[in-house]
Amino acid sequence: MAFDIDMIKKVYSQMAERVDKAREIVGKPLTLSEKILYSHLWDGKPSEAFERGKDYVEFSPDRIACQDATAQMALLQFMQAGKDKVAVPTTVHCDHLIQAKQGAEKDLISANKSSHEVFDFLESVSNKYGIGFWKPGAGIIHQVVLENYAFPGGMMIGTDSHTVNAGGLGMVAIGVGGADAVDVMAGMPWELKFPKLIGVKLTGELSGWTASKDVILKVAGILTVKGGTGAIVEYFGPGAKNLSCTGKGTICNMGAEIGATTSTFGYDDSMERFLRATEREDIADEANKVREHLTGDDEVYANPEQYFDEVIEIDLSELRPHLNGPFTPDLATPVGELGEKAKKNDWPIKVDWGLIGSCTNSSYEDLTRAASIAQQAIDKKLKPKSDFGINPGSEQIRFTAERDGLLNVFEDLGATVFTNACGPCIGQWDRSDRKGEEKNTIVHSFNRNFSKRADGNPNTHAFVGSPEMVAAIAISGRLDFDPMNDTLVNEDGQEVKLDEPRGIELPPEGFEVEENGYVEPMKDGSGVEIKVAKDSERLQLLTPFEPIQDSEMQGMKLLIKAFGKCTTDHISMAGPWLRYRGHLDNISNNCLIGAINAYNKKTNFVKNQIDGEYGGVPDVQREYKAKGIKTIVVGDHNYGEGSSREHAAMEPRFLGVAAVLVKSFARIHETNLKKQGMLGLTFANEADYDLIQEDDTFNFIDIVDFAPNKPLTIEIVHKDGSKDTIKANHTYNDAQISWYREGSALNLIKKQNA
Ligand code: SF4
């Protein structure tokens, strides 16, 4: 069913030789990240040292994982590649399309009704092309991967930003757009700019209320949402060894929130314990044989400043529990200081919901620690002041937690146990208590808390904390509650204090599951027919993009100059739009509707230069498209941060946007733009952003000479006839320029397969 031990043995059998060779070539001891990267080169044995943050390198990942929302477009693209089977072990996980409303049983029935067409499509494509399929309700992609597929020293890619979760089991696991996954499924190399390396040295030991989650909440506060961009964060030191494997997973999971390429930890006893507990004894045995290659060299960890590009040190014994938010995961505040901050900023103190679980925090340890707090509420006669919602990460963890009485504890407090799926973490939450856009506060143990992320309400202030802290805050119903110092009044009018949480790392009686929800594909899927109804509003077969002609890059119009944060949620919203992830035309109606127009500070309200009228971004863009006018999108820093969804690139491309010009990009989105055959450019001079005016026309005067390491020149013609000429940088190499010239990376694959 699950992992392929022969594949893992092969990876390990090559590792010693490749690591030794890499050490010789690089000329110094190696970090774990380098060992994994150099032992997964597409060309096999390393033959040159790569410059971090500069060289593009081709890799050969061991696995691919796709979630249902992104898998639709990825598989629609793969179907165009002309292959019989995927070249690399791949799994599809149905987790994003299940709305949380009434609880697991009813919600799953409802999702199977409303999205059956999509689930059927994914199952049949999986069956045809040799892809493992995890049914709706089986669990959230990253938890299922950690429990079944992740292995120390491996490399995987996944069509979801939180693929990085598998770093908790010592992998280099990276979130990519569907187009990258399609390359690898089709047997092509996967390209990545060789990452920089940030070392995080952990000393001391967690105690009391402080959890693994607080490590990453602290790191996010230090590095901010941009601080990890282009880098692998490698954790090491005595403190790292003291963390559980799943706790490491939580830390790596939220590496996505600092923009890191991925995060990882060296193989240690906690990983071995987790592998054995999840019935992967043979992987543990194999990993033990190559233990020294599955962690960084001793010298690297002894003198990290010499080997990492940046080093951070955190003493776990001194670390305090944090709550990060609202609206951004890097706004870190130690619990106890939040009340004052909330008052100052007018954030609602009353907490409406406490949500526990998601792919970030639904391990056995998490649930036991949170349940130990919930149990105290029962024992000490405390009635929770907030509602509780639980999203188990997998059926295996749900079944085990139910067997061990953990879920009962929450249910006794009135908690709703939602499906083993993303639910409120991705806006799939039909929240019954608030229908309008009232200001309110929730706390959760998820990872992201951007505006509208949980419930679509821009005024929901979401704070991220550990599951046990979420439980305590939800019981108190107050954001300013500090369980380490404050007391609560119980039903008898007595003042009571919550004791420190207590957790169990792994289930003493082992994990258990009756029906894990996995469907093995047929050995020969050639007879499987894939049906997509012509009138389907959810799925649409793709038509290849036409290459953008140099002549079209003259006389371009400005579609929108985005102001401030513009994440992939702003470019291609989630929530109700998840419905159209497999239908490019329909989902393009959400294109950039969340981006703020720099000229009027409104969303989805831009000037149509054809008639001077204002309208919604997709509507205006469709008018340009009808007239054959290409457009440009202008943006600020870290444009496209957040989810890896390639829809955020495909939609503008489909509607006729030819270039995106920004101060800086989030890595995955920049690559996605390249894959779809359009231009992703950065201002050579950031201040040129201010030159762009609402009625501007753009001429790419040297596009005919588009070449690596050569900035492009753009002439901006303003309404009054005056002109500015600016330089735009790009990171396209020769291969990526071929994608642009062919219309998309997929067009090139098809051409090469023909
Ligand atoms: Fe699902 Fe949230 Fe995890 Fe993404 S971060 S996979 S939406 S639970």
Side-chain angles (χ1 to χ4, degrees), residues 11 175 223 315 386 452 676 697-698 728:
V11 172
L223 286 177
D315 181 353
S386 317
K452 298 188 185 181
Q676 301 306 333
T697 298
F698 299 80

Side-chain angles (χ1 to χ4, degrees), residues 150-222:
F151 67 96
M155 174 187 269
M156 72 176 287
I157 57 169
T159 59
D160 188 280
S161 345
H162 293 97
T163 302
V164 293
N165 188 67
L169 203 33
M171 288 195 107
V172 161
I174 301 180
V176 298
D180 275 19
V182 172
D183 286 357
V184 181
M185 285 180 205
M188 309 272 290
W190 172 62
E191 194 181 58
L192 178 76
K193 194 196 275 182
F194 203 85
K196 292 192 172 238
L197 299 173
I198 297 174
V200 180
K201 182 175 181 181
L202 301 177
T203 59
E205 199 163 354
L206 295 174
S207 62
W209 282 89
T210 311
S212 297
K213 180 80 157 211
D214 298 304
V215 176
I216 187 61
L217 295 180
K218 175 80 183 172
V219 170
I222 296 169

Side-chain angles (χ1 to χ4, degrees), residues 95-96 140-142 160 162 358-360 422 425-426 447 453:
D95 54 3
H96 278 57
I140 305 173
I141 175 169
H142 312 303
D160 188 280
H162 293 97
S358 87
C359 67
T360 325
C422 306
C425 185
I426 189 68
N447 42 37
R453 169 90 179 179

